Structures are given as C-alpha cells and as structure tokens.
Amino acid sequence: MTRSRPPFPGSPLRYAYGTNGLADLRLGDALGLLADLGYSGVGLTLDHMHLDPLAPDLAARTAKVGRALERHGLTVTVETGARYVLDARRKHHPTLLDPDAEARSARTDLLLKAVRVAADLGAHAVHCFSGQLPPGTAPDTGWARLADGIGSVLDGAAAAGVPVAIEPEPGHLLADLAGFHRLRTALGSPEALGLTLDIGHCQCLEPRAPADCVREAAPWLRHVQIEDMRRGVHTHLPFGEGEIDFPPVLAALRAADYDGLVTVELPRDSHAGPERAAASIDFLTTAEAKTAALPQEDAPC
C-alpha cells in the first residue's frame, strides 16, 4: 500500500538568469525579457555592458537600474565575475591572490563597490571568488591573502546588511566546499560571509552528489547558481545536456527553506540568450513540479 504524505516542504523556488549570459542585450531589454518569461530576479554581473562599476556616476546609474528592477518586479543578486572588467588583457585579473598588493586592492575595491551597489538595489548577496593560485605562490600564502582580502570587505558588507557569498570555482584556490569551510574557519565564521553554491560545480568535482551538497551547505547558502554539467568537465551546459538529476537538487533547496535566488549561469551562451532563458525556466519549473512525486524514501529529511 502506498503511504500518503504531505505536500513537499518549503516555499517555491525563485529563479533568476545571469546577465553574463545575456551580454548581447541592453540591460533594460534583458530585464524586460526575464520579467516576461516569469523569472523572479536577475544575477547582475557588474561589467562594461551592464552597469560598469568603473564608469562615472555609478550611484546615479545604479538608481536607474533600481527603478527598472522595481518596474519589472525583479529582485537581484550582484555578481563580480566579469572577465575583463579590471584588466583588459587577462581574464579575471587581478584576484585576491595577486602577488602585488596594489593589484589585490583593485579587486577589494571592486568588491566594496559591489557591496554598495547591492545595498542600493536591495540585493540579497554579493558574489565573489578566490582566483587561481599564482605560479610560484605557496598555498598557505594564497590562503592568507584570501582571508585578508575577504576580511577587508566583510566589515563594509556587514554594515550594509549584504552578505558576501564566495563561490567555490574549479581550478581556483577555493575550489570546493572544503575550501569554503577552511576560509570560514580562518575568519572566525563571520555572519557576513556566506556561500554561492554552483550546482554544476558540485557535479563537476565534489565527492558527493549535488543534492547532498545542498544539504551539507544549507546553513551557509546565500546564493545558488545552476546549470547542467558533466563529471570532471568544467563546462556550463544548457539543461538536459549534462548529467545532473535536477528534481532531487530542487527538492533539497526547498527542504532547506532556501529563499534566495537560483540563478541560471550560462555565460558562454549569450549568442542564444533569449532562447536559453526561455528554455531554462521551462525546464526548472517542470523539474520542480516533479519534486512532489519523489518516492517517500528519496525525499529530503
């Protein structure tokens, strides 16, 4: 006999789409598209084509974006993964691990600007990453630089009421959940430091399944990125082209009462951005609906 059970726990998830996957659209057009498709929010990457953090009148331009978000009924997280925003010739440079102190300061200055933008927009988090360990740098030195850099941002983030959500990134010094806990512990577990969990990265390199990663990371989750991926291959794929079983992942997020944005992260697909955005929300809402049909023994505790 099949046992009846209550409806699946947790509130419906709130989906967003990253502007780094809509780089060929004007920001206003991107926001209108996402609202029309039924997204709840946007992952806003500060970059030269979408709210350039280095151009003049940042506060005024941020206020204009805020009005557009309000008009479209979208919430936001602020992302700082622009490829060439600080260095026009080196991808994602400088980082918090750079041997040059002034270069590291350029990254912390960007993060502090992102915190101010996030506070002005009512964002629920500011995303960041460690960067790759520079050649010839000892790992302990890299970890010390990372803790110093993130630590210098956390006071401003705490004052602004916006958590910093660092992302474990394959190939970076902080590459996995174990690395997040190492940094968190070194800093004394500050309230302002949270986690950006990329579901594809869990599939790529974590020892546990993505749904288990969600359960393990739940106390520190401040932002979630999502896409398909294959084991051992760090390539962001449209949904259905990788190996992830998504209903258990979405079920785990709901069971954890995660109330931030779940942001689709397809940065190499801007050439087909509108089509990818439409297909992604259809896929995710269909997958979430399937969580109610999970067998009792598969449902999260």
Short mmCIF file of all heavy atoms in Angstrom, two decimals, residues 62-108:
data_model
loop_
_atom_site.label_atom_id
_atom_site.label_comp_id
_atom_site.label_asym_id
_atom_site.label_seq_id
_atom_site.Cartn_x
_atom_site.Cartn_y
_atom_site.Cartn_z
N THR A 62 23.15 53.27 -10.87
CA THR A 62 22.57 52.21 -10.04
C THR A 62 21.12 52.53 -9.70
O THR A 62 20.25 51.64 -9.73
CB THR A 62 23.40 52.05 -8.76
OG1 THR A 62 24.74 51.67 -9.10
CG2 THR A 62 22.80 50.99 -7.86
N ALA A 63 20.84 53.78 -9.38
CA ALA A 63 19.47 54.16 -9.06
C ALA A 63 18.55 53.94 -10.25
O ALA A 63 17.39 53.49 -10.09
CB ALA A 63 19.43 55.63 -8.64
N LYS A 64 19.04 54.19 -11.46
CA LYS A 64 18.24 53.93 -12.66
C LYS A 64 17.94 52.45 -12.82
O LYS A 64 16.82 52.05 -13.14
CB LYS A 64 18.98 54.47 -13.89
CG LYS A 64 18.21 54.30 -15.20
CD LYS A 64 19.00 54.91 -16.36
CE LYS A 64 18.24 54.72 -17.67
NZ LYS A 64 19.00 55.30 -18.82
N VAL A 65 18.96 51.61 -12.57
CA VAL A 65 18.73 50.17 -12.63
C VAL A 65 17.73 49.74 -11.56
O VAL A 65 16.86 48.90 -11.80
CB VAL A 65 20.06 49.41 -12.46
CG1 VAL A 65 19.82 47.90 -12.31
CG2 VAL A 65 20.97 49.68 -13.65
N GLY A 66 17.84 50.33 -10.38
CA GLY A 66 16.89 50.01 -9.32
C GLY A 66 15.46 50.30 -9.71
O GLY A 66 14.55 49.52 -9.42
N ARG A 67 15.25 51.42 -10.39
CA ARG A 67 13.90 51.74 -10.85
C ARG A 67 13.41 50.73 -11.88
O ARG A 67 12.23 50.34 -11.89
CB ARG A 67 13.87 53.16 -11.41
CG ARG A 67 14.08 54.24 -10.36
CD ARG A 67 13.79 55.63 -10.90
NE ARG A 67 14.76 56.06 -11.91
CZ ARG A 67 15.91 56.69 -11.64
NH1 ARG A 67 16.24 56.96 -10.39
NH2 ARG A 67 16.72 57.07 -12.62
N ALA A 68 14.32 50.28 -12.74
CA ALA A 68 13.94 49.28 -13.74
C ALA A 68 13.60 47.95 -13.09
O ALA A 68 12.63 47.27 -13.47
CB ALA A 68 15.06 49.11 -14.76
N LEU A 69 14.37 47.55 -12.10
CA LEU A 69 14.08 46.31 -11.39
C LEU A 69 12.70 46.39 -10.72
O LEU A 69 11.91 45.44 -10.78
CB LEU A 69 15.16 46.05 -10.33
CG LEU A 69 16.54 45.65 -10.86
CD1 LEU A 69 17.57 45.72 -9.73
CD2 LEU A 69 16.50 44.25 -11.45
N GLU A 70 12.43 47.52 -10.09
CA GLU A 70 11.14 47.69 -9.43
C GLU A 70 10.00 47.67 -10.45
O GLU A 70 8.95 47.05 -10.21
CB GLU A 70 11.13 49.01 -8.65
CG GLU A 70 9.86 49.22 -7.85
CD GLU A 70 9.93 50.48 -7.00
OE1 GLU A 70 10.96 51.20 -7.06
OE2 GLU A 70 8.95 50.75 -6.28
N ARG A 71 10.20 48.31 -11.58
CA ARG A 71 9.17 48.34 -12.61
C ARG A 71 8.85 46.93 -13.13
O ARG A 71 7.69 46.62 -13.40
CB ARG A 71 9.64 49.24 -13.76
CG ARG A 71 8.61 49.43 -14.87
CD ARG A 71 9.01 50.59 -15.77
NE ARG A 71 10.27 50.35 -16.47
CZ ARG A 71 11.41 50.98 -16.21
NH1 ARG A 71 11.49 51.87 -15.24
NH2 ARG A 71 12.50 50.72 -16.92
N HIS A 72 9.87 46.11 -13.23
CA HIS A 72 9.67 44.76 -13.75
C HIS A 72 9.38 43.72 -12.66
O HIS A 72 9.16 42.54 -12.97
CB HIS A 72 10.91 44.32 -14.54
CG HIS A 72 11.09 45.06 -15.83
ND1 HIS A 72 10.19 44.98 -16.86
CD2 HIS A 72 12.09 45.89 -16.25
CE1 HIS A 72 10.62 45.72 -17.87
NE2 HIS A 72 11.75 46.29 -17.53
N GLY A 73 9.41 44.15 -11.39
CA GLY A 73 9.12 43.22 -10.31
C GLY A 73 10.20 42.17 -10.10
O GLY A 73 9.90 41.03 -9.71
N LEU A 74 11.47 42.55 -10.31
CA LEU A 74 12.58 41.61 -10.20
C LEU A 74 13.43 41.92 -8.98
O LEU A 74 13.68 43.08 -8.65
CB LEU A 74 13.47 41.69 -11.44
CG LEU A 74 12.84 41.29 -12.78
CD1 LEU A 74 13.78 41.63 -13.92
CD2 LEU A 74 12.49 39.80 -12.80
N THR A 75 13.90 40.88 -8.30
CA THR A 75 14.93 41.03 -7.28
C THR A 75 16.29 40.71 -7.90
O THR A 75 16.37 40.30 -9.05
CB THR A 75 14.64 40.12 -6.08
OG1 THR A 75 14.51 38.77 -6.54
CG2 THR A 75 13.35 40.52 -5.39
N VAL A 76 17.36 40.88 -7.11
CA VAL A 76 18.68 40.86 -7.74
C VAL A 76 19.73 40.31 -6.77
O VAL A 76 19.61 40.46 -5.55
CB VAL A 76 19.07 42.29 -8.21
CG1 VAL A 76 19.18 43.24 -7.04
CG2 VAL A 76 20.35 42.28 -9.03
N THR A 77 20.71 39.65 -7.33
CA THR A 77 21.98 39.43 -6.66
C THR A 77 23.06 40.06 -7.52
O THR A 77 22.92 40.13 -8.75
CB THR A 77 22.26 37.94 -6.43
OG1 THR A 77 23.42 37.79 -5.61
CG2 THR A 77 22.49 37.21 -7.72
N VAL A 78 24.11 40.57 -6.90
CA VAL A 78 25.18 41.26 -7.62
C VAL A 78 26.37 40.31 -7.76
O VAL A 78 26.86 39.77 -6.77
CB VAL A 78 25.58 42.56 -6.90
CG1 VAL A 78 26.82 43.18 -7.55
CG2 VAL A 78 24.42 43.54 -6.93
N GLU A 79 26.81 40.13 -8.99
CA GLU A 79 27.90 39.21 -9.28
C GLU A 79 29.14 39.98 -9.75
O GLU A 79 29.02 41.01 -10.42
CB GLU A 79 27.47 38.20 -10.33
CG GLU A 79 26.15 37.51 -9.97
CD GLU A 79 26.11 36.05 -10.32
OE1 GLU A 79 27.17 35.47 -10.64
OE2 GLU A 79 25.02 35.47 -10.26
N THR A 80 30.31 39.45 -9.42
CA THR A 80 31.56 40.16 -9.72
C THR A 80 32.51 39.30 -10.57
O THR A 80 33.72 39.46 -10.49
CB THR A 80 32.27 40.57 -8.41
OG1 THR A 80 32.59 39.40 -7.66
CG2 THR A 80 31.38 41.49 -7.59
N GLY A 81 31.94 38.45 -11.40
CA GLY A 81 32.75 37.55 -12.21
C GLY A 81 33.01 38.02 -13.62
O GLY A 81 33.32 37.20 -14.50
N ALA A 82 32.91 39.32 -13.87
CA ALA A 82 33.20 39.83 -15.22
C ALA A 82 34.63 39.47 -15.61
O ALA A 82 35.56 39.59 -14.82
CB ALA A 82 33.00 41.34 -15.27
N ARG A 83 34.79 39.05 -16.86
CA ARG A 83 36.09 38.50 -17.28
C ARG A 83 37.20 39.55 -17.36
O ARG A 83 38.33 39.32 -16.95
CB ARG A 83 35.95 37.81 -18.63
CG ARG A 83 35.08 36.55 -18.61
CD ARG A 83 35.06 35.91 -19.99
NE ARG A 83 34.30 34.67 -20.01
CZ ARG A 83 33.01 34.58 -20.36
NH1 ARG A 83 32.37 35.70 -20.69
NH2 ARG A 83 32.41 33.42 -20.38
N TYR A 84 36.89 40.72 -17.91
CA TYR A 84 37.95 41.69 -18.21
C TYR A 84 37.64 43.08 -17.65
O TYR A 84 38.17 44.07 -18.15
CB TYR A 84 38.15 41.77 -19.72
CG TYR A 84 38.66 40.47 -20.32
CD1 TYR A 84 37.78 39.61 -20.97
CD2 TYR A 84 40.00 40.11 -20.22
CE1 TYR A 84 38.23 38.41 -21.51
CE2 TYR A 84 40.46 38.92 -20.76
CZ TYR A 84 39.58 38.07 -21.41
OH TYR A 84 40.02 36.88 -21.93
N VAL A 85 36.84 43.17 -16.62
CA VAL A 85 36.43 44.48 -16.13
C VAL A 85 37.59 45.23 -15.47
O VAL A 85 37.64 46.47 -15.52
CB VAL A 85 35.23 44.35 -15.18
CG1 VAL A 85 35.61 43.70 -13.86
CG2 VAL A 85 34.58 45.71 -14.93
N LEU A 86 38.54 44.54 -14.86
CA LEU A 86 39.67 45.19 -14.21
C LEU A 86 40.95 45.16 -15.05
O LEU A 86 41.80 46.05 -14.92
CB LEU A 86 39.97 44.52 -12.86
CG LEU A 86 38.91 44.71 -11.77
CD1 LEU A 86 39.32 43.95 -10.51
CD2 LEU A 86 38.67 46.18 -11.47
N ASP A 87 41.10 44.16 -15.88
CA ASP A 87 42.30 44.02 -16.72
C ASP A 87 41.83 43.62 -18.11
O ASP A 87 41.26 42.54 -18.29
CB ASP A 87 43.23 42.96 -16.13
CG ASP A 87 44.57 42.89 -16.85
OD1 ASP A 87 44.62 43.09 -18.07
OD2 ASP A 87 45.59 42.60 -16.18
N ALA A 88 42.07 44.48 -19.08
CA ALA A 88 41.56 44.25 -20.43
C ALA A 88 42.29 43.13 -21.17
O ALA A 88 41.87 42.73 -22.26
CB ALA A 88 41.66 45.54 -21.25
N ARG A 89 43.35 42.60 -20.59
CA ARG A 89 44.15 41.59 -21.29
C ARG A 89 44.25 40.26 -20.56
O ARG A 89 44.67 39.26 -21.16
CB ARG A 89 45.56 42.13 -21.54
CG ARG A 89 45.54 43.40 -22.38
CD ARG A 89 46.92 43.83 -22.80
NE ARG A 89 46.85 45.05 -23.61
CZ ARG A 89 47.87 45.56 -24.29
NH1 ARG A 89 49.05 44.95 -24.25
NH2 ARG A 89 47.73 46.66 -25.00
N ARG A 90 43.88 40.22 -19.28
CA ARG A 90 43.99 38.98 -18.52
C ARG A 90 42.64 38.67 -17.87
O ARG A 90 42.13 39.46 -17.07
CB ARG A 90 45.08 39.08 -17.45
CG ARG A 90 46.49 39.27 -18.01
CD ARG A 90 47.52 39.17 -16.89
NE ARG A 90 47.25 40.16 -15.84
CZ ARG A 90 47.73 40.07 -14.59
NH1 ARG A 90 48.47 39.03 -14.24
NH2 ARG A 90 47.47 41.02 -13.72
N LYS A 91 42.11 37.53 -18.19
CA LYS A 91 40.79 37.13 -17.71
C LYS A 91 40.78 37.00 -16.18
O LYS A 91 41.64 36.36 -15.59
CB LYS A 91 40.41 35.79 -18.36
CG LYS A 91 39.06 35.24 -17.95
CD LYS A 91 38.84 33.91 -18.67
CE LYS A 91 37.54 33.26 -18.23
NZ LYS A 91 37.36 31.93 -18.88
N HIS A 92 39.77 37.64 -15.58
CA HIS A 92 39.52 37.57 -14.13
C HIS A 92 40.68 38.11 -13.29
O HIS A 92 40.80 37.76 -12.11
CB HIS A 92 39.18 36.14 -13.70
CG HIS A 92 37.89 35.62 -14.24
ND1 HIS A 92 36.75 36.38 -14.28
CD2 HIS A 92 37.57 34.41 -14.76
CE1 HIS A 92 35.76 35.66 -14.82
NE2 HIS A 92 36.24 34.47 -15.12
N HIS A 93 41.51 38.95 -13.86
CA HIS A 93 42.63 39.53 -13.10
C HIS A 93 42.36 41.00 -12.85
O HIS A 93 41.64 41.65 -13.60
CB HIS A 93 43.93 39.35 -13.87
CG HIS A 93 44.55 38.01 -13.72
ND1 HIS A 93 45.40 37.69 -12.70
CD2 HIS A 93 44.42 36.88 -14.46
CE1 HIS A 93 45.78 36.43 -12.81
NE2 HIS A 93 45.21 35.92 -13.88
N PRO A 94 42.98 41.53 -11.79
CA PRO A 94 43.71 40.82 -10.73
C PRO A 94 42.74 40.14 -9.77
O PRO A 94 41.55 40.44 -9.74
CB PRO A 94 44.46 41.94 -10.03
CG PRO A 94 43.60 43.15 -10.23
CD PRO A 94 42.98 42.99 -11.58
N THR A 95 43.29 39.22 -8.97
CA THR A 95 42.48 38.50 -7.99
C THR A 95 42.93 38.87 -6.58
O THR A 95 43.88 39.63 -6.39
CB THR A 95 42.61 36.98 -8.17
OG1 THR A 95 43.90 36.55 -7.68
CG2 THR A 95 42.46 36.58 -9.64
N LEU A 96 42.25 38.30 -5.62
CA LEU A 96 42.63 38.50 -4.23
C LEU A 96 43.93 37.79 -3.86
O LEU A 96 44.43 37.97 -2.74
CB LEU A 96 41.51 38.01 -3.32
CG LEU A 96 40.19 38.76 -3.43
CD1 LEU A 96 39.09 38.04 -2.67
CD2 LEU A 96 40.33 40.20 -2.93
N LEU A 97 44.47 37.00 -4.79
CA LEU A 97 45.69 36.25 -4.54
C LEU A 97 46.91 36.84 -5.23
O LEU A 97 48.01 36.28 -5.16
CB LEU A 97 45.52 34.79 -5.00
CG LEU A 97 44.26 34.07 -4.53
CD1 LEU A 97 44.26 32.65 -5.07
CD2 LEU A 97 44.16 34.08 -3.02
N ASP A 98 46.74 37.95 -5.93
CA ASP A 98 47.82 38.52 -6.73
C ASP A 98 49.03 38.85 -5.85
O ASP A 98 48.88 39.34 -4.73
CB ASP A 98 47.32 39.80 -7.41
CG ASP A 98 48.17 40.20 -8.59
OD1 ASP A 98 49.31 40.64 -8.36
OD2 ASP A 98 47.70 40.08 -9.73
N PRO A 99 50.24 38.57 -6.33
CA PRO A 99 51.42 38.92 -5.53
C PRO A 99 51.57 40.41 -5.24
O PRO A 99 52.17 40.80 -4.24
CB PRO A 99 52.59 38.42 -6.39
CG PRO A 99 52.00 37.37 -7.26
CD PRO A 99 50.60 37.82 -7.54
N ASP A 100 51.02 41.24 -6.11
CA ASP A 100 51.14 42.69 -5.95
C ASP A 100 50.01 43.23 -5.08
O ASP A 100 48.83 43.02 -5.38
CB ASP A 100 51.11 43.36 -7.32
CG ASP A 100 51.27 44.86 -7.21
OD1 ASP A 100 52.40 45.31 -6.93
OD2 ASP A 100 50.27 45.57 -7.38
N ALA A 101 50.36 43.91 -4.00
CA ALA A 101 49.36 44.40 -3.06
C ALA A 101 48.40 45.40 -3.71
O ALA A 101 47.20 45.41 -3.40
CB ALA A 101 50.04 45.04 -1.85
N GLU A 102 48.90 46.24 -4.61
CA GLU A 102 48.03 47.21 -5.26
C GLU A 102 47.03 46.50 -6.18
O GLU A 102 45.88 46.94 -6.29
CB GLU A 102 48.86 48.22 -6.06
CG GLU A 102 49.63 49.20 -5.20
CD GLU A 102 50.28 50.29 -6.02
OE1 GLU A 102 50.01 50.37 -7.25
OE2 GLU A 102 51.06 51.07 -5.45
N ALA A 103 47.46 45.42 -6.81
CA ALA A 103 46.54 44.66 -7.66
C ALA A 103 45.46 44.01 -6.81
O ALA A 103 44.27 44.02 -7.18
CB ALA A 103 47.32 43.60 -8.44
N ARG A 104 45.84 43.47 -5.66
CA ARG A 104 44.82 42.89 -4.77
C ARG A 104 43.84 43.96 -4.31
O ARG A 104 42.63 43.71 -4.20
CB ARG A 104 45.49 42.23 -3.56
CG ARG A 104 46.37 41.03 -3.91
CD ARG A 104 46.67 40.18 -2.68
NE ARG A 104 47.36 40.87 -1.62
CZ ARG A 104 48.68 41.00 -1.52
NH1 ARG A 104 49.46 40.51 -2.48
NH2 ARG A 104 49.23 41.62 -0.49
N SER A 105 44.35 45.16 -4.07
CA SER A 105 43.48 46.25 -3.64
C SER A 105 42.46 46.62 -4.71
O SER A 105 41.33 47.02 -4.40
CB SER A 105 44.30 47.48 -3.27
OG SER A 105 45.05 47.25 -2.11
N ALA A 106 42.85 46.50 -5.99
CA ALA A 106 41.89 46.77 -7.07
C ALA A 106 40.71 45.82 -6.99
O ALA A 106 39.56 46.21 -7.24
CB ALA A 106 42.59 46.66 -8.43
N ARG A 107 40.98 44.56 -6.64
CA ARG A 107 39.88 43.59 -6.50
C ARG A 107 39.03 43.88 -5.27
O ARG A 107 37.80 43.83 -5.35
CB ARG A 107 40.46 42.18 -6.44
CG ARG A 107 39.43 41.07 -6.24
CD ARG A 107 38.39 40.99 -7.34
NE ARG A 107 38.96 40.70 -8.65
CZ ARG A 107 38.22 40.45 -9.73
NH1 ARG A 107 36.89 40.47 -9.68
NH2 ARG A 107 38.80 40.22 -10.91
N THR A 108 39.65 44.19 -4.14
CA THR A 108 38.84 44.50 -2.96
C THR A 108 38.04 45.78 -3.17
O THR A 108 36.89 45.87 -2.72
CB THR A 108 39.71 44.62 -1.71
OG1 THR A 108 40.75 45.59 -1.90
CG2 THR A 108 40.35 43.28 -1.36
#
